[in-house]
Amino acid sequence: MSLLQSNGPYRFEQKVEELESILDDVSYDIQLLKTYHHIEDSSQYLPDNDNGWFKVTDDGKVLTLNELFLEVFGYSRESSLSFRKKMLIELIPDHLQQSFQAQWETAIQACRNGNGRDTVIKTNGLHRTGYEIPIAITVASDDTKRLFVSVKDVSYRKEIEKALLASRENYRVLAETATDAIIQIKNDFIIHFANSAVKKIFAYKKEEVENRNIGILFPASRYKNYKKLFSKYFFIDDIHRKDTGLQSSIEVLGLRKDGEVLPLEISFGNSSGVGDKRILTCIIRDIAFRKKAERRLKYLAYHDKLTSLGNRDRLSENLDQVLQEMQRDKSRKAALLFLDLDGFKKVNDSLGHEMGDIILKETARRLSDCLRSEDQVYRIQMEDIYRLGGDEFTLLLPHIRRSEDAAIVATRIIDRILEPFMIKGYGSITNVNMGVSIGIALIPDDGADKNTLLRNADTAMYNAKEQGNTYMFFTREMNNRALDRLMMEEGLRSSLGSGDFSVHYQPIVDENGTIKALEALIRWTHPEMGFIPPDRFIGIAEDTRLILPIGKWVMETACRSLKKLHLLGNSDLYMSINISTLQLEREDLAANVKAILEKFKLDPTSLTLELTETGVMTYPETAIRKMKLLLEVNKGLRIAIDDFGTGYSSLSYLSKFPVKNLKIDKSFVGNMDDSNNIKIINSILSLGQNLGLNIIAEGVEEKSQLEYLAKRGCHYFQGYYFYKPLRFDDLVEELRNHR
Ligand code: C2E
Ligand code: CA
Ligand code: CA
């Protein structure tokens, strides 16, 4: 209301708001706005510009007028006749009439005199509704001194109306350019607006859907539910949706004109009106493409790229599902099989990753086809086979009758994997022999939850692995062992850097019992578990890679001790240190050794590194490379092959190793009654002599052993017959007496 009464300057936005709010009250039908630009072509009207104009007699009697003139005052075209002969002054509010009259006369006078062109009278007009509106009346004359009078509504109303029109047009363009279908429905679910994009999505022309129920766009079976949802969106405003748990958009199935069903996403906006005025705007998007992409992503997320088998996440989900189903069916049995290829690492390292990949793919193929074949006792689906990474595969048997079924499947797999893998490559066909170890956990006997089952199947596999090429069912006893291991792992971690570790030194002597060297041997006393011998924890430290920090610590400690011994006058002693294969594999071993030697100002000649025969024989070529690097970086360093004789290595390799020392394993020395052992000892001794190696016998406990070995040319001895491994202080004491 205030708009029409006021003639002061207004903020534009404020006006728009106000105008919108009074649209109803002043029956300002938006449609009417359009007629502004539609001027009737009639000879009694002069060509129009933006203003209303009229012809008047000199005393202000209206003769003719145009449509816009009527608009300014809020009258319809039909009432134009009643204006004729009306006095202009009647359109001016009472309280302004006097001043208007004065200005009018001055203006007319000026025109008549020819010097009053474009006199503007600013006053208020009386709108049909009774409100005053600010107007400007311009009185002008041409050379013939004819009067032209025009009237203009100088409130912002018109500009606002134009802005509204423009904004409507904008919306229309927007709706038409949108690639999403836009549909508006009223509370009877009848579509009252649709944009052209409905054609693209639904194959209907917009005219075909307008004035029809929105239900035609959805499969009838679904629409019942959708309708309920739409109602919610209809009545619950945007701002309240969150509170009521409504999503900003929903995914539904749509129905095209040609009968095709397609996935859609609909987002909603509703107007704030009530009753008939309330409108729900649905923005509808075809998400078939997105759904496809999502499916593809999901596939990728749940499958192993190399073999296309399911991956760990998929196993996890499927296992959850089986467990859930088993909750309902208490008599059901299932099994989880953990498979690990035997010897895969060796193939992968020696033949290369490409070959490794081929073997893995072939393994996947063998698994799926040997388990699928019809005539077998147990058939399983491709979907039940998973690859967890590396050479670890898993099988979920979702239904078994008895535990033997799982054993039958396991046997079948083992047989199939044992067949040689014929691998083409590098221009020839290579035959590769592989094996597989399988652990079986029965569901629900061996675990009612996913993690326990996975752990137990893994434990069983780990036990099977010790034998190789076999399967094992999980047992409680395995679990205890696994638990032990777990405790040790944790113990090792907590003991790192805590002072629970120490190093003992066992002298290595010559034939006369003179101490030549020392072997550093680690000792571990855990605060709760007590003393734990290295044979029990070194393997675990290797599996967990904790051997790396532990090994480094041993080397530092042993070198520090050696330096002290040198300073105490035993400068000809050297130190022998056990190095795990894992340490040898590391590129930085050579540099680490060098750094430690430099730190204690020790010469490389005073250090020997012991590598076990089985360790270096697993990947001999790699080992040779690493050994050479070690020697290159630390000139004068010596390498000993430890536990020699246990690895059954082809002796020819030994000549290729850049080693100086050979240690005969104590199992041969300790059991010299066995003629086989004697043979082995003899051949090691003669081989070593031929290669010019120093031979050290370990585990010498008796005089007879010493005598036999010395007679055959063994140079050095280590064992309880001479010394047990000693604490550093005891060693210092011993050396003092020794001299
Ligand atoms: P190894 O390298 O063969 O060490 C010799 C083992 O034989 C030591 O056992 C030693 O105490 C024992 N021994 C010495 N003389 C005799 C004897 O006359 N009779 C008998 N029966 N045994 C004797 P220990 O200290 O228990 O170490 C066992 C194994 O643990 C070592 O065997 C070595 O492989 C490993 N180990 C020990 N310390 C370390 C270390 O710092 N790093 C690594 N990587 N391995 C270590
Ligand atoms: Ca050793
Ligand atoms: Ca040894």
Side-chain angles (χ1 to χ4, degrees):
M1 318 277 157
S2 55
L3 169 71
L4 298 179
Q5 285 171 326
S6 156
N7 53 2
Y10 262 76
R11 275 200 313 118
F12 191 72
E13 301 88 322
Q14 196 179 341
K15 300 243 178 197
V16 174
E17 256 173 51
E18 275 172 345
L19 184 67
E20 275 177 336
S21 71
I22 59 168
L23 280 180
D24 290 342
D25 308 70
V26 294
S27 0
Y28 239 94
D29 191 340
I30 279 290
Q31 280 307 314
L32 194 72
L33 294 170
K34 291 187 175 160
T35 61
Y36 275 133
H37 298 285
H38 173 76
I39 304 302
E40 212 171 349
D41 179 28
S42 160
S43 59
Q44 63 167 322
Y45 294 120
L46 285 172
D48 196 28
N49 54 24
D50 246 5
N51 299 339
W53 56 260
F54 54 96
K55 282 184 184 169
V56 280
T57 55
D58 279 4
D59 57 353
K61 194 179 285 168
V62 177
L63 292 173
T64 56
L65 48 87
N66 76 344
E67 204 173 303
L68 271 171
F69 173 82
L70 294 169
E71 293 297 343
V72 170
F73 296 96
Y75 293 92
S76 67
R77 199 151 47 124
E78 287 69 40
S79 50
S80 81
L81 276 178
S82 64
F83 270 85
R84 304 245 172 104
K85 310 234 168 62
K86 221 178 193 167
M87 295 300 290
L88 184 58
I89 195 102
E90 290 173 54
L91 290 165
I92 307 296
D94 286 349
H95 65 104
L96 293 173
Q97 283 183 357
Q98 212 181 338
S99 79
F100 171 74
Q101 190 62 35
Q103 291 182 72
W104 173 258
E105 274 161 22
T106 320
I108 298 284
Q109 208 52 51
C111 284
R112 288 280 171 258
N113 298 338
N115 56 7
R117 278 184 196 175
D118 293 356
T119 311
V120 179
I121 305 168
K122 284 193 178 155
T123 178
N124 282 359
L126 204 52
H127 193 268
R128 185 180 61 83
T129 51
Y131 298 106
E132 292 179 23
I133 50 168
I135 54 172
I137 294 173
T138 311
V139 186
S141 63
D142 61 9
D143 298 338
T144 62
K145 304 208 170 122
R146 272 197 303 172
L147 276 185
F148 293 94
V149 186
S150 66
V151 58
K152 186 177 185 180
D153 178 348
V154 292
S155 69
Y156 286 104
R157 192 179 53 176
K158 274 184 140 182
E159 286 160 43
I160 295 164
E161 285 158 358
K162 270 193 210 151
L164 264 181
L165 255 183
S167 119
R168 289 222 122 201
E169 179 61 10
N170 269 342
Y171 281 125
R172 198 190 59 78
V173 171
L174 212 67
E176 283 308 305
T177 32
T179 48
D180 295 342
I182 301 175
I183 283 177
Q184 291 185 317
I185 55 171
K186 294 206 169 169
N187 59 1
D188 51 7
F189 290 89
I190 300 294
I191 298 171
H192 86 105
F193 170 85
N195 70 349
S196 311
V198 288
K199 176 91 203 281
K200 216 185 70 199
I201 294 178
F202 294 103
Y204 284 110
K205 289 196 192 120
K206 58 184 270 176
E207 298 78 26
E208 288 178 296
V209 297
E210 272 170 348
N211 298 317
R212 294 184 65 185
N213 194 290
I214 195 171
I216 60 162
L217 301 178
F218 305 96
S221 58
R222 303 284 180 120
Y223 180 60
K224 247 198 285 169
N225 286 332
Y226 296 167
K227 195 173 168 185
K228 282 183 209 147
L229 255 174
F230 293 166
S231 299
K232 285 191 188 161
Y233 282 97
F234 200 95
F235 292 109
I236 302 171
D237 290 327
D238 283 358
I239 42 166
H240 299 301
R241 282 191 191 150
K242 264 224 179 81
D243 310 332
T244 48
L246 281 182
Q247 313 270 301
S248 61
S249 64
I250 57 171
E251 287 184 9
V252 298
L253 286 182
L255 180 68
R256 281 164 58 92
K257 189 181 179 184
D258 53 21
E260 200 189 311
V261 174
L262 75 171
L264 300 174
E265 181 190 74
I266 311 186
S267 7
F268 299 95
N270 45 8
S271 69
S272 51
V274 287
D276 250 12
K277 295 252 156 45
R278 200 170 176 89
I279 286 169
L280 181 67
T281 304
C282 311
I283 298 176
I284 305 173
R285 176 170 295 184
D286 175 358
I287 53 171
F289 183 74
R290 193 176 84 196
K291 280 281 148 195
K292 218 167 129 191
E294 276 172 10
R295 267 202 300 278
R296 174 85 194 132
L297 276 179
K298 188 164 172 161
Y299 179 87
L300 287 177
Y302 282 106
H303 287 81
D304 166 45
K305 259 229 277 298
L306 183 68
T307 60
S308 298
L309 296 176
N311 63 9
R312 190 180 291 274
D313 288 342
R314 190 173 166 100
L315 169 65
S316 166
E317 279 197 5
N318 291 356
L319 200 49
D320 275 340
Q321 198 192 329
V322 167
L323 287 168
Q324 238 170 48
E325 289 167 9
M326 290 178 80
Q327 289 279 309
R328 274 172 263 136
D329 179 2
K330 296 287 182 201
S331 66
R332 183 166 157 191
K333 285 185 200 304
L336 184 66
L337 278 67
F338 248 63
L339 285 65
D340 193 289
L341 294 179
D342 299 339
F344 178 75
K345 192 172 165 15
K346 193 166 176 174
V347 168
N348 208 31
D349 287 4
S350 56
L351 297 180
H353 291 289
E354 272 170 47
M355 292 294 166
D357 283 357
I358 293 174
I359 293 205
L360 292 174
K361 274 198 236 178
E362 171 66 10
T363 303
R365 205 183 58 74
R366 287 188 187 186
L367 286 176
S368 43
D369 73 23
C370 85
L371 296 169
R372 233 188 316 215
S373 49
E374 301 286 340
D375 55 326
Q376 301 282 0
V377 187
Y378 205 87
R379 263 189 83 210
I380 72 163
Q381 308 291 316
M382 176 83 176
E383 294 78 65
D384 296 320
I385 311 171
Y386 310 84
R387 176 170 171 244
L388 302 194
D391 57 343
E392 279 186 358
F393 294 84
T394 302
L395 220 66
L396 176 60
L397 307 183
H399 292 274
I400 56 170
R401 290 159 301 162
R402 300 161 282 136
S403 53
E404 289 82 62
D405 287 351
I408 292 169
V409 170
T411 316
R412 206 189 302 158
I413 293 171
I414 292 170
D415 289 347
R416 191 77 176 87
I417 298 296
L418 274 178
E419 292 168 25
F421 285 66
M422 298 212 283
I423 296 176
K424 276 184 240 154
Y426 308 132
S428 64
I429 294 183
T430 315
N431 260 330
V432 179
N433 292 311
M434 302 288 302
V436 61
S437 300
I438 302 176
I440 305 172
L442 296 172
I443 318 176
D445 304 11
D446 294 336
D449 68 277
K450 190 169 62 186
N451 291 334
T452 310
L453 283 166
L454 288 169
R455 202 175 50 238
N456 289 348
D458 192 30
T459 302
M461 188 277 288
Y462 194 86
N463 278 267
K465 194 112 212 156
E466 283 172 8
Q467 247 172 282
N469 252 317
T470 186
Y471 67 85
M472 274 190 194
F473 282 95
F474 170 77
T475 63
R476 297 285 144 207
E477 186 250 67
M478 283 178 188
N479 213 2
N480 294 339
R481 278 177 59 185
L483 266 177
D484 262 12
R485 254 186 97 80
L486 215 69
M487 273 175 61
M488 291 249 252
E489 265 181 53
E490 274 167 27
L492 280 174
R493 276 204 181 85
S494 66
S495 284
L496 259 182
S498 71
D500 297 345
F501 292 111
S502 63
V503 179
H504 285 196
Y505 303 91
Q506 185 174 35
I508 295 171
V509 301
D510 66 10
E511 208 176 333
N512 308 317
T514 313
I515 299 178
K516 293 290 184 186
L518 303 158
E519 178 174 1
L521 295 161
I522 190 167
R523 295 291 174 259
W524 180 32
T525 307
H526 186 265
E528 281 129 46
M529 295 183 277
F531 175 77
I532 299 158
D535 284 332
R536 275 189 63 205
F537 72 82
I538 293 289
I540 296 169
E542 283 174 336
D543 290 349
T544 52
R545 306 184 73 80
L546 288 168
I547 194 69
L548 296 174
I550 292 174
K552 201 171 168 193
W553 177 83
V554 169
M555 202 180 315
E556 277 222 36
T557 310
C559 286
R560 183 180 291 115
S561 299
L562 182 65
K563 186 69 193 179
K564 279 187 198 158
L565 295 176
H566 282 186
L567 292 175
L568 288 172
N570 309 287
S571 52
D572 51 345
L573 283 183
Y574 72 88
M575 185 67 77
S576 203
I577 295 176
N578 294 290
I579 298 291
S580 149
T581 335
L582 222 65
Q583 286 171 277
L584 182 67
E585 277 171 13
R586 295 275 306 205
E587 283 309 322
D588 59 2
L589 179 67
N592 282 342
V593 170
K594 186 177 159 82
I596 291 174
L597 286 173
E598 275 170 3
K599 178 173 175 186
F600 295 108
K601 300 198 169 59
L602 286 169
D603 196 84
T605 49
S606 52
L607 194 65
T608 297
L609 299 186
E610 298 190 5
L611 304 171
T612 61
E613 182 194 8
T614 37
V616 292
M617 273 307 172
T618 322
Y619 310 110
E621 298 301 337
T622 321
I624 289 173
R625 209 159 41 76
K626 296 287 159 106
M627 286 190 241
K628 285 190 171 151
L629 178 69
L630 260 175
L631 298 177
E632 215 174 274
V633 176
N634 302 280
K635 295 240 155 38
L637 181 86
R638 265 167 303 183
I639 294 174
I641 301 293
D642 201 358
D643 302 346
F644 195 76
T646 56
Y648 309 106
S649 48
S650 72
L651 295 176
S652 65
Y653 251 119
L654 197 58
S655 61
K656 292 191 188 172
F657 288 147
V659 301
K660 283 268 155 51
N661 298 354
L662 212 55
K663 295 184 83 172
I664 307 177
D665 191 66
K666 60 177 176 290
S667 60
F668 303 113
V669 177
N671 207 349
M672 297 216 303
D673 297 337
D674 186 332
S675 61
N676 267 335
N677 283 349
I678 289 286
K679 274 185 207 152
I680 293 173
I681 289 173
N682 288 345
S683 59
I684 293 176
L685 282 170
S686 65
L687 175 81
Q689 278 151 9
N690 285 337
L691 292 174
L693 301 174
N694 294 317
I695 309 203
I696 300 147
E698 294 185 318
V700 179
E701 294 184 357
E702 286 157 25
K703 197 170 181 203
S704 60
Q705 295 165 343
L706 166 69
E707 284 168 352
Y708 181 87
L709 291 161
K711 203 163 70 202
R712 304 276 152 156
C714 184
H715 312 93
Y716 301 102
F717 309 89
Q718 183 182 353
Y720 297 166
Y721 179 71
F722 299 99
Y723 299 98
K724 290 201 163 180
L726 303 168
R727 290 173 45 238
F728 182 71
D729 294 343
D730 297 339
L731 172 70
V732 171
E733 185 64 28
E734 201 57 55
L735 282 169
R736 194 172 290 140
N737 300 338
H738 198 72
R739 295 282 144 128

